[in-house]
């Protein structure tokens, strides 16, 4: 056992620490019996550079499919192509409205302590626009991640990388051939740019992007194939929102709407979040609530870690990786 894993075994004995260790152990148990893990990401996990550890999880076959906000999908590439132009603001809690406006005037958009330059992807934006335009012209729409993969496949693209390629989880996912589901593409910087390109006539129509219901169909077919093969699928959720609620609903959809009653429930569930249980909040819903929706069974291993995902997720990944 390596140093981080040994530290967790020794010290993570109670409360959220114990829940963190138990979730990591159960992840290994799932993989040990031939299972696969479906991972979801909300928040700004790409901006916090979770890719440093997540990319290794993907490369070592510890994660097998991903659902994330379109912001997390694009922000991994923002970091890959524009990391050197980011600005850190450690004193973000003390910023006045005037200081925030000064950052805006300098061309920065702040995410907690990290300011993303407004000109992200400017080196490659024209390339993405050409990919959109070609797909619209040919009547061959693609999912958002497929455009990212096509961009990263361009032979001269590595010249624009500003971080080690090993730290990009999207690049790792491309190399492994993973599907990345990103419901709500329009709620992202690239979604806004895409809309502007259509409105300006640079892209023929909105039909260059495949729909969210098409993503659900792809997920449903994948989940059904895994079930027929007897492969248990776990669900590891970072945050909440559409990135998680969209894919977890594939099970009740298959059972209730397609009437495939032999569909297995998710075989593992863990969530990291800082939301407390409240009035109708998906992010703050306890795992047991998901039993009533036909997502989890009564014997599904369930973990709820109330903590900061930027701290807890890398620790869980480290344990699963044996670091």
């Amino acid at each position: 056992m390596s140093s981080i894993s040994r530290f967790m075994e020794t010290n993570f004995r109670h409360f959220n620490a114990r829940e963190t260790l138990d979730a990591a152990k159960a992840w290994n148990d799932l993989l040990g019996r031939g299972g696969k893990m479906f991972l979801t990401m909300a928040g700004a996990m790409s901006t916090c550079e979770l890719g440093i550890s997540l990319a290794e999880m993907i490369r070592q076959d510890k994660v097998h499919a991903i659902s994330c906000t379109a912001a997390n999908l694009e922000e991994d590439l923002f970091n890959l192509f524009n990391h050197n132009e980011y600005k850190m603001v450690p004193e973000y809690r003390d910023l006045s409205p005037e200081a925030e406006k000064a950052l805006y005037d300098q061309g920065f958009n702040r995410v907690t302590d990290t300011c993303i330059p407004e000109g992200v992807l400017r080196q490659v934006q024209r390339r993405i626009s050409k990919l959109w335009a070609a797909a619209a012209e040919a009547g061959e729409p693609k999912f958002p991640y497929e455009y990212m993969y096509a961009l990263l496949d361009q032979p001269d693209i590595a010249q624009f990388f500003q971080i080690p390629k090993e730290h990009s989880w999207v690049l790792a996912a491309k190399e492994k051939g993973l599907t990345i589901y990103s419901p709500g593409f329009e709620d992202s910087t690239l979604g806004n740019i895409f809309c502007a390109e259509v409105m300006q006539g640079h892209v023929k129509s909105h039909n260059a992007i495949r729909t969210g219901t098409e993503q659900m169909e792809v997920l449903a077919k994948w989940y059904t194939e895994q079930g027929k093969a007897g492969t248990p699928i776990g669900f590891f959720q970072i945050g909440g929102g559409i990135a998680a609620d969209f894919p977890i609903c594939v099970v009740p959809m298959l059972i209730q709407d397609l009437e495939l009653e032999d569909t297995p429930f998710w075989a593992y569930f863990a969530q990291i979040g800082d939301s407390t249980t409240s009035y109708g909040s998906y992010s703050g819903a306890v795992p047991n609530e998901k039993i009533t929706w036909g997502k989890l069974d009564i014997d599904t291993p369930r973990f709820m870690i109330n903590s900061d995902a930027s701290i807890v997720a890398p620790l869980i990944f480290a344990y699963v990786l044996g670091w």
Side-chain angles (χ1 to χ4, degrees), residues 221-231 260 262-264:
K221 289 179 177 178
W222 177 80
Y223 194 92
T224 300
E225 289 170 2
Q226 302 306 313
K228 288 179 178 178
T231 304
L260 299 176
D262 58 346
T263 298

Side-chain angles (χ1 to χ4, degrees), residues 117-313:
E118 286 182 2
V120 285
L121 297 188
R122 70 186 182 286
Q123 311 100 314
V124 296
Q125 183 176 330
R126 184 175 296 179
R127 297 180 183 222
I128 294 175
S129 295
K130 286 181 178 179
L131 293 171
W132 291 334
E137 191 65 35
E140 298 175 350
K142 296 180 174 62
F143 292 124
Y145 83 95
E146 293 179 303
Y147 288 108
M148 305 301 196
Y149 285 5
L151 175 68
L152 293 171
D153 273 335
Q154 294 183 353
D156 61 340
I157 201 69
Q159 66 179 306
F160 300 112
F161 294 174
Q162 294 188 0
I163 62 170
K165 65 179 184 179
E166 292 80 13
H167 292 178
S168 168
W169 71 262
V170 173
L171 187 56
K174 182 192 76 69
E175 291 170 349
K176 278 291 183 177
L178 267 60
T179 300
I180 303 174
Y181 303 88
S182 54
F185 169 69
E186 60 273 15
D187 182 24
S188 67
T189 298
L190 283 179
N192 294 167
I193 293 172
F194 174 77
C195 182
E197 291 285 277
V198 173
M199 293 177 70
Q200 292 171 333
H202 301 156
V203 176
K204 185 176 181 180
S205 75
H206 290 282
N207 294 332
I209 303 293
R210 295 179 68 180
T211 68
T213 52
E214 288 181 280
Q215 292 191 65
M216 178 60 81
E217 182 179 358
V218 172
L219 174 55
K221 289 179 177 178
W222 177 80
Y223 194 92
T224 300
E225 289 170 2
Q226 302 306 313
K228 288 179 178 178
T231 304
I233 306 296
F235 196 96
F236 187 82
Q237 176 178 328
I238 301 176
I242 192 172
D245 201 28
F246 167 81
I248 203 170
C249 287
V250 72
V251 170
M253 189 270 280
L254 288 167
I255 295 173
Q256 298 168 21
D257 302 319
L258 284 171
E259 299 182 350
L260 299 176
E261 296 182 0
D262 58 346
T263 298
F265 293 103
W266 293 98
Y268 163 109
F269 178 83
Q271 178 179 358
I272 307 170
D274 56 9
S275 295
T276 56
T277 302
S278 61
Y279 306 98
S281 162
Y282 178 77
S283 298
V286 296
N288 284 0
E289 184 177 292
K290 294 168 177 57
I291 295 174
T292 73
W293 288 87
K295 301 168 183 174
L296 308 178
D297 206 351
I298 58 173
D299 58 355
T300 303
R302 302 183 296 278
F303 308 93
M304 183 68 190
I305 305 164
N306 293 114
S307 190
D308 184 333
S310 69
I311 299 171
V312 173

